[in-house]
Amino acid sequence: EAGVTQFPSHSVIEKGQTVTLRCDPISGHDNLYWYRRVMGKEIKFLLHFVKESKQDESGMPNNRFLAERTGGTYSTLKVQPAELEDSGVYFCASSQSRLASGANVLTFGAGSRLTVL
Amino acid sequence: SQKIEQNSEALNIQEGKTATLTCNYTNYSPAYLQWYRQDPGRGPVFLLLIRENEKEKRKERLKVTFDTTLKQSLFHITASQPADSATYLCALVSSGSARQLTFGSGTQLTVLP
């Protein structure tokens, strides 16, 4: 089966510009997550969709970040306007509905590297 | 404050030896803990999951232990190979309402031939 696909793999933009990252999860996975790793830091949770609904967006840093998952398939993460501190690698992950035990194993994409100059 | 610490940023070992990586946490009540592997330019790949009521899990050359008293998980790779070289991440999910994965910063393992 195809894995989690992210596009673009690398984006270089100037401060103040807009960037939209796209994630195609594994087909049939209801859960879709966005994570981010900024330089030298750990991977941090941004938000979680269940189908098209935002289940948890507690990790979104501010209102310059907008995530959507129309139709419950692919998702986009828009940063507008981008700031220098937004540079990092943005990972998308998906999973099936939670296992009965509550364990949730994530399949990650390769990430989208964002560089804001 | 809540914290997940992995023992060192980098660990070098000789091929054939056992690599042991440590993950310590504070101010969490984890429901379960996961270990992931990450290669350069790739996303994390799931390896093993261990629940709070489990002491040990094994998968081929991998072994994970979980001590909720010490608030620590150990990740072992036996008979290590150069292909095992990667960054290894521990991640946990609290038993509270915020059931999202929280990652440690990772340990970069290099297995020398």
Side-chain angles (χ1 to χ4, degrees), chain B residues 55-71:
Chain B
K55 297 293 186 186
E56 182 179 298
K57 269 285 187 65
R58 290 175 184 262
K59 178 182 174 182
E60 298 172 351
R61 295 184 295 110
L62 309 180
K63 184 178 84 170
V64 172
T65 62
F66 197 10
D67 188 327
T68 54
T69 301
L70 291 178
K71 298 186 187 300

Side-chain angles (χ1 to χ4, degrees), chain A residues 6 33-38 40-47 89-95 104-109, chain B residues 2-7 22-26 28 30 32-39 42-49 73 87-94 98-107:
Chain A
Q6 293 189 244
Y33 305 81
W34 285 97
Y35 284 80
R36 175 174 78 166
R37 185 172 203 159
V38 297
K41 302 281 190 178
E42 63 274 15
I43 296 172
K44 287 206 166 173
F45 167 78
L46 296 179
L47 89 160
V89 182
Y90 290 76
F91 292 103
C92 176
S94 70
S95 70
N104 206 16
V105 173
L106 272 57
T107 302
F108 281 82
Chain B
Q2 295 180 318
K3 195 183 296 185
I4 302 172
E5 290 183 321
Q6 296 193 236
N7 57 325
T22 305
C23 176
N24 295 295
Y25 59 91
T26 53
Y28 279 104
Y32 53 91
L33 188 146
Q34 301 182 12
W35 284 87
Y36 285 78
R37 168 185 173 141
Q38 186 174 20
D39 291 282
R42 311 289 291 271
V45 174
F46 171 77
L47 296 175
L48 280 169
L49 176 154
S73 174
T87 295
Y88 291 86
L89 305 162
C90 74
L92 57 82
V93 175
S94 288
R99 297 181 68 84
Q100 307 301 347
L101 272 180
T102 303
F103 283 88
S105 55
T107 296

Side-chain angles (χ1 to χ4, degrees), chain A residues 4-66:
Chain A
V4 176
T5 305
Q6 293 189 244
F7 183 83
S9 58
H10 191 188
S11 181
V12 181
I13 61 173
E14 293 192 348
K15 176 182 171 181
Q17 290 186 320
T18 297
V19 64
T20 300
L21 310 177
R22 173 172 169 141
C23 169
D24 286 78
I26 292 173
S27 178
H29 280 194
D30 289 340
N31 296 285
L32 187 149
Y33 305 81
W34 285 97
Y35 284 80
R36 175 174 78 166
R37 185 172 203 159
V38 297
M39 180 77 81
K41 302 281 190 178
E42 63 274 15
I43 296 172
K44 287 206 166 173
F45 167 78
L46 296 179
L47 89 160
H48 170 206
F49 285 99
V50 177
K51 296 184 181 178
E52 67 275 9
S53 300
K54 290 177 186 174
Q55 182 76 12
D56 181 353
E57 51 184 332
S58 61
M60 294 287 264
N62 52 60
N63 59 10
R64 295 184 294 102
F65 289 75
L66 175 64

